[in-house]
Amino acid sequence: MIVACCLLTTAYFSYATVKLPTVLGNNMVLQQNEKVCLWGSAKPSAEVTIKTSWNNKKYRTQADKNGKWEVYVETTQAGGPYNITFDDGEKVTLNNILLGDVWICSGQSNMEMPLKGLLGQPVKESLKFITEAQKYSEIRMYTGKQTASLTEEFDNQGSWEQASIQHAPQFSAVGYFYAKTLYDVLKTPIGMIHISWGGASIESWMSEETLKLYPNIKLKDRKLNTPHPQQVPTLLYNGMLHPISNYTIKGFIWYQGETNIGNYKEYTSLFQDMVKEWRNLFKMGEKLPFYYVQIAPFQYDNPENIGCALLRESQLKCSSLIPNSGMAITMDKGELTCIHPSEKEIVGQRLAYQALRKTYNFKQLPCDGPTFDSMKLQDKKLIVTFNNAEMGLYPMFVELPGFEVAGNDGKFYPAKAMINQFGNFVEVWSNQVEHPVHLRYAFKNYIKGSLYNGSGLPASSFRTDTL
């Protein structure tokens, strides 16, 4: 019976005049309690009737002279499974549809890394989570094909699958763990649309119109046949983001930045403009939350160099500059010799903490690590205070590695650091610096973060000097 139904569905898509983009398909999640966009093509000027089973409503629209049509339908609260029937004289029916919350996950290889891991680069405890995936059939996953394009595309090959031992291993590990954490709390169907490409630059995810604001970015003579098309400006925006931009969503999660270490100074501005552009493209503006991962420590050219720390600094700045956003910090999860850290579960969870507090209004749930607030000199020591430390700072009664201080000469020396007995500030000092005036914490390519708040959330690397 199941095989027959599948064959029948295939026949509908092969011969019916109504054609749908692949992001509209069986097993999808549609955003609950919204007016969601459905779109596709039919014969020019044909009337298309859409019937939604969750409310038994019918909607009618007419294809334009090129056969394009779109319509907004009302969804109800989370639930399902439901179906949608499209009819222009021949019917196409989509089945096993859930209403819930839909998130887009995007970026470069740390977002692309699948739950099963990469060759010689495992995801920690992946088999445990893969075998548990059968319990999460209300998590639905769509992965867009990696497509570079010089012009804006209107479809991208992919399909919706429900979480299972068969399908979960291929999906983004960060995206899956994010969805799993949300589902565990909300018990609401979660749809994840995944579009990412290892090595992608932020410029590849932005439009030509926006990038014209940056005279140093070369937009002429862009080519597809290059060794790294995912680093060519606009190509992934055109080929992967634009085709899904009609889809009604709850928000975005993002993990990218490693490729842009070389232009860290520009990243702060580029990232703000990209987020603004994506929100406008999806027609919901700042209503759409944007949560992202600060890149993890890694050796790059030299563990002692600071290029990675400078990019992390740009990302930290953006957390206060981009409205309705939040950053998951990974200072404690980097790996010296692997740019793809294995502990992806905690990354997805920390992103979910951002969403649960800021989007789903669990106001008592901490989601941010300690951030530098102020410092003062007292008895040759810097007394450093932090925000987001309502439960104090951690760990107490031990020295915290990773701190450095400098005097007026700007020369930094390793420093000793300890949290005071009440857990509300850090004392930092060095016998080599009589009067410290500048402070750095974990400001290197690779270092393991040592400072947390009492909720177990790590601090970002930071500095008080300006290079």
Side-chain angles (χ1 to χ4, degrees):
M1 179 63 72
I2 293 174
V3 172
C5 288
C6 290
L7 291 172
L8 183 59
T9 301
T10 302
Y12 274 141
F13 280 96
S14 299
Y15 300 111
T17 54
V18 171
K19 290 183 169 41
L20 301 171
T22 60
V23 76
L24 298 179
N26 297 323
N27 307 314
M28 67 179 172
V29 177
L30 291 177
Q31 184 58 44
Q32 63 175 319
N33 296 320
E34 273 285 358
K35 291 184 177 179
V36 305
C37 185
L38 303 175
W39 71 102
S41 63
K43 291 180 179 178
S45 302
E47 182 178 271
V48 180
T49 301
I50 299 98
K51 183 179 180 181
T52 53
S53 73
W54 53 85
N55 54 11
N56 289 314
K57 284 189 176 181
K58 287 186 178 180
Y59 304 82
R60 289 180 173 82
T61 188
Q62 187 172 21
D64 65 18
K65 63 180 180 181
N66 297 312
K68 303 295 183 183
W69 58 265
E70 70 174 48
V71 66
Y72 283 82
V73 304
E74 295 178 355
T75 58
T76 56
Q77 64 186 15
Y82 299 112
N83 61 68
I84 306 175
T85 299
F86 303 82
D87 188 354
D88 69 341
E90 296 182 58
K91 291 183 179 180
V92 172
T93 300
L94 301 182
N95 296 300
N96 197 24
I97 296 167
L98 300 180
L99 303 185
D101 285 344
V102 183
W103 292 83
I104 287 177
C105 52
S106 184
Q108 55 181 111
S109 57
N110 269 303
M111 184 64 84
E112 181 185 353
M113 188 176 188
L115 184 57
K116 66 181 180 181
L118 299 169
L119 185 65
Q121 299 177 53
V123 169
K124 187 176 180 179
E125 294 191 285
S126 63
L127 294 179
K128 171 181 181 289
F129 296 109
I130 289 169
T131 54
E132 289 177 352
Q134 299 291 115
K135 298 186 295 186
Y136 291 91
S137 61
E138 289 194 335
I139 293 176
R140 304 295 175 83
M141 309 165 297
Y142 174 95
T143 298
K145 182 180 179 181
Q146 292 180 339
T147 305
S149 178
L150 293 168
T151 57
E152 294 179 349
E153 300 292 334
F154 294 92
D155 196 8
N156 180 283
Q157 296 303 305
S159 62
W160 283 95
E161 306 291 353
Q162 60 187 43
S164 64
I165 290 177
Q166 178 184 2
H167 297 297
Q170 281 68 244
F171 195 70
S172 161
V174 171
Y176 181 79
F177 287 128
Y178 178 79
K180 179 179 179 294
T181 306
L182 292 186
Y183 183 82
D184 283 340
V185 175
L186 303 171
K187 302 303 180 187
T188 296
I190 302 293
M192 300 298 299
I193 298 175
H194 172 222
I195 49 167
S196 61
W197 193 330
S201 66
I202 192 170
E203 296 91 336
S204 70
W205 291 107
M206 300 171 70
S207 72
E208 181 174 357
E209 181 180 1
T210 297
L211 291 176
K212 285 178 180 177
L213 300 172
Y214 297 86
N216 61 310
I217 295 176
K218 297 178 181 179
L219 295 173
K220 292 184 177 181
D221 302 321
R222 283 167 289 154
K223 296 179 181 178
L224 293 176
N225 57 340
T226 65
H228 303 289
Q230 75 274 35
Q231 294 174 11
V232 178
T234 76
L235 296 195
L236 304 192
Y237 173 92
N238 291 336
M240 299 178 72
L241 182 69
H242 192 268
I244 62 171
S245 60
N246 277 341
Y247 209 95
T248 305
I249 62 171
K250 187 74 173 180
F252 305 95
I253 59 172
W254 171 260
Y255 194 162
Q256 190 275 339
E258 296 90 344
T259 297
N260 285 94
I261 286 174
N263 64 331
Y264 70 89
K265 289 183 178 179
E266 206 167 35
Y267 194 88
T268 306
S269 176
L270 283 166
F271 192 31
Q272 290 179 80
D273 285 340
M274 190 204 82
V275 172
K276 182 178 180 181
E277 174 168 66
W278 282 32
R279 286 170 165 171
N280 289 338
L281 182 65
F282 282 77
K283 304 179 184 72
M284 296 181 74
E286 291 180 7
K287 179 181 177 182
L288 292 174
F290 201 106
Y291 302 124
Y292 61 99
V293 183
Q294 187 183 52
I295 63 171
F298 172 66
Q299 63 182 349
Y300 293 98
D301 54 338
N302 185 322
E304 296 295 311
N305 288 346
I306 63 171
C308 180
L310 291 168
L311 195 282
R312 295 196 301 264
E313 181 180 60
S314 292
Q315 293 177 312
L316 179 62
K317 289 177 182 176
C318 286
S319 66
S320 61
L321 294 171
I322 299 173
N324 196 12
S325 70
M327 183 175 74
I329 296 168
T330 58
M331 286 304 304
D332 55 337
K333 298 304 176 185
E335 297 178 15
L336 175 65
T337 59
C338 185
I339 201 171
H340 304 123
S342 66
E343 293 189 59
K344 289 293 188 282
E345 182 188 16
I346 193 66
V347 179
Q349 288 174 338
R350 288 174 179 172
L351 284 167
Y353 301 154
Q354 293 285 331
L356 288 169
R357 174 164 180 143
K358 298 175 181 177
T359 299
Y360 295 101
N361 295 313
F362 288 85
K363 296 300 184 186
Q364 302 306 311
L365 181 70
C367 67
D368 290 310
T371 54
F372 173 80
D373 179 36
S374 66
M375 68 180 185
K376 63 180 180 180
L377 184 62
Q378 179 179 303
D379 298 329
K380 299 182 181 180
K381 294 181 178 180
L382 291 175
I383 307 301
V384 189
T385 62
F386 293 83
N387 298 314
N388 303 320
E390 293 82 2
M391 295 292 291
L393 299 167
Y394 173 84
M396 297 172 63
F397 313 119
V398 296
E399 285 192 17
L400 305 177
F403 284 86
E404 300 172 281
V405 294
N408 284 318
D409 62 359
K411 187 174 182 180
F412 280 87
Y413 294 89
K416 294 185 177 182
M418 291 191 71
I419 298 168
N420 73 315
Q421 62 179 327
F422 302 107
N424 56 0
F425 60 79
V426 180
E427 298 178 340
V428 187
W429 72 97
S430 171
N431 293 333
Q432 295 173 282
V433 182
E434 186 79 8
H435 298 288
V437 295
H438 300 300
L439 172 69
R440 290 183 176 184
Y441 165 69
F443 214 78
K444 297 181 184 298
N445 279 354
Y446 177 79
I447 190 169
K448 189 172 180 64
S450 63
L451 178 63
Y452 299 78
N453 61 21
S455 299
L457 295 169
S460 167
S461 51
F462 68 90
R463 59 176 176 160
T464 64
D465 61 303
T466 302
L467 292 180

